[in-house]
Amino acid sequence: MGGYELVRSDDAAAGGGPDLESGANSSKAAAPPSPSPAAPQPRLVSLDVFRGITVLLMIIVDDVGGFVPALNHSPWDGLTIADFVMPFFLFIVGVALTLAYKRVPDKLEATKKAVLRALKLFCLGLVLQGGFFHGVHSLSFGVDLAKIRLMGILQRIAIAYLLAAICEIWLKGDDDVDSGLDLVKRYRYQLYVGLVLSFMYTILLYGIYVPDWEYQISGPGSIEKSFSVKCGVTGDTGPACSAVGMVDRTVLGIDHLYRRPVYARTKECSINYPENGPLPPDAPSWCQAPFDPEGLLSSVMAIVTCLIGLQFGHIIIHFEKHRGRITNWLIPSFSMLAVALLMDFVGMRMNKPLYTISYTLATAGAAGLLFAGIYSLVDVYGFRRPTITMEWMGKHALMIYVLVACNILPMFIRGFYWRDPNNSLLKFIGVGA
């Protein structure tokens, strides 16, 4: 993985890397001459460090979250450390896009490349999370296409990336930028898109009627067990009757959803709450129903997170001084956090599976604060050595995700053995012997 994006961007070649001290007001001054190969512009290291921290957090959550509830995803409403991983990825993709499309000589060509790149990332997600790579301990693989999971982490990032890239390529003004207000005016059409998506999501979440529904699961002896879920409501944001789940069941089909829903750890569904456990005797009928945390309707707000990242990236482009950049990052970050807390207080709860507006603002605000802190530490004060590992992980984030988070590395380690599956590399190095 290279460049500034989750996936490599060839479109950035025309603009080169960002100049930490001269990225401002391209509309007021003539474009500077291209740097010579001997004197390249300095790389914005904080992007790689931020991405590397997010990757490390993802690995910790995957490996430790099952044992430490504070590091696992919230069963439903509320936030834990794990719930920041996805929006942090989306936020930094948005920031990176502004640098990749700083100069776009051919908008149509740039759009074609963005579509192709997003399609590749979506297809990679289908292969990795659609169910093909599973059964690490049984050394089995394969997926029934009738039950393949259609959405996932990479698929959501691909959708958000594509929409944000199109906005960055086509929806730019030519206003001069001397202040934060000028920045809002120049990119007002991108902000309009974000507002329209937010209003559309809110109307659908609280306005769609959710009828009763049924689902089947395989019981002992491959016997199909049917469950009926009573809804008949509008505006419900619980696990059983939300519009988010209803849209996915209707459009994608219930067989194509994630089969280990996070709400299986709620009080209603687990006697070991907040950890996984046996069902209580009076467990509601929806506890074992599939639910995709990266579904269609919730991905609408994921796009908004990426668009917020775009606006933070514009500050790098249009403001010369470190103080101006940091100030213009801190003000919206604290504002989004304040609005998110207010929304949560009045009942619009922070919820990662639904990707609610309060969750969007809270995680984007936190991402902005973290990015401003990393930028100050690494790019302003030059503390590179303490973050060199995170920088490396950020540059190879996609590779690490594929190898570790998607079980490719564990499968490789266990997939080769001598005569008996237990005689794998793990036994050779003394693990599980």
Side-chain angles (χ1 to χ4, degrees), residues 7-319:
V7 288
R8 189 172 185 86
S9 176
D10 299 326
D11 304 321
D19 189 339
L20 294 182
E21 292 299 333
S22 61
N25 270 340
S26 59
S27 60
K28 295 180 68 178
S34 300
S36 63
Q41 293 178 336
R43 182 183 182 86
L44 196 64
V45 181
S46 49
L47 266 74
D48 292 325
V49 174
F50 183 99
R51 194 184 292 112
I53 290 175
T54 306
V55 171
L56 178 62
L57 183 61
M58 175 192 68
I59 295 173
I60 293 174
V61 166
D62 287 344
D63 294 339
V64 185
F67 308 100
V68 183
L71 294 177
N72 206 348
H73 290 287
S74 173
W76 197 247
D77 289 331
L79 289 182
T80 65
I81 295 176
D83 296 320
F84 288 90
V85 174
M86 168 60 79
F88 278 14
F89 270 126
L90 294 166
F91 173 87
I92 207 62
V93 167
V95 174
L97 277 171
T98 62
L99 306 177
Y101 296 110
K102 184 177 179 180
R103 300 181 184 90
V104 185
D106 189 334
K107 292 184 177 182
L108 284 176
E109 183 64 23
T111 302
K112 291 178 183 178
K113 290 184 177 180
V115 171
L116 181 60
R117 194 170 297 116
L119 184 60
K120 290 178 180 178
L121 192 61
F122 192 95
C123 292
L124 178 62
L126 274 179
V127 173
L128 295 176
Q129 290 195 289
F132 187 84
F133 293 103
H134 65 351
V136 176
H137 298 290
S138 63
L139 300 177
S140 65
F141 66 94
V143 62
D144 182 355
L145 291 177
K147 297 182 179 180
I148 187 173
R149 184 187 176 193
L150 296 177
M151 296 295 290
I153 293 173
L154 293 183
Q155 294 95 309
R156 168 170 283 181
I157 293 177
I159 293 171
Y161 165 86
L162 178 60
L163 269 293
I166 291 175
C167 286
E168 187 63 12
I169 293 169
W170 294 95
L171 300 181
K172 290 182 181 179
D174 55 2
D175 309 77
D176 294 342
V177 176
D178 292 315
S179 65
L181 187 60
D182 293 335
L183 200 67
V184 171
K185 187 176 180 181
R186 181 182 177 98
Y187 296 100
R188 59 190 179 276
Y189 297 113
Q190 295 182 5
L191 297 175
Y192 291 158
V193 172
L195 288 174
V196 168
L197 291 176
S198 299
F199 280 120
M200 181 182 72
Y201 169 84
T202 303
I203 292 172
L204 294 176
L205 178 65
Y206 293 102
I208 291 181
Y209 174 78
V210 181
D212 300 343
W213 54 283
E214 296 180 351
Y215 70 98
Q216 294 81 35
I217 61 171
S218 297
S222 299
I223 299 175
E224 290 286 332
K225 298 177 63 177
S226 297
F227 296 87
S228 178
V229 182
K230 300 295 182 181
C231 290
V233 296
T234 300
D236 191 290
T237 57
C241 301
S242 70
V244 169
M246 195 273 287
V247 168
D248 288 339
R249 291 191 298 270
T250 302
V251 178
L252 300 177
I254 197 167
D255 287 334
H256 297 289
L257 305 183
Y258 188 57
R259 296 185 176 274
R260 290 179 291 173
V262 68
Y263 53 66
R265 293 188 289 108
T266 58
K267 289 182 180 180
E268 297 91 338
C269 301
S270 174
I271 62 175
N272 296 333
Y273 167 83
E275 301 176 5
N276 285 300
L279 289 169
D282 58 346
S285 59
W286 47 263
C287 282
Q288 301 177 75
F291 180 92
D292 208 308
E294 282 82 41
L296 293 176
L297 184 55
S298 56
S299 291
V300 170
M301 293 308 298
I303 298 171
V304 175
T305 297
C306 207
L307 291 174
I308 293 173
L310 279 184
Q311 311 317 309
F312 277 71
H314 295 149
I315 293 170
I316 301 172
I317 301 296
H318 293 286
F319 288 86

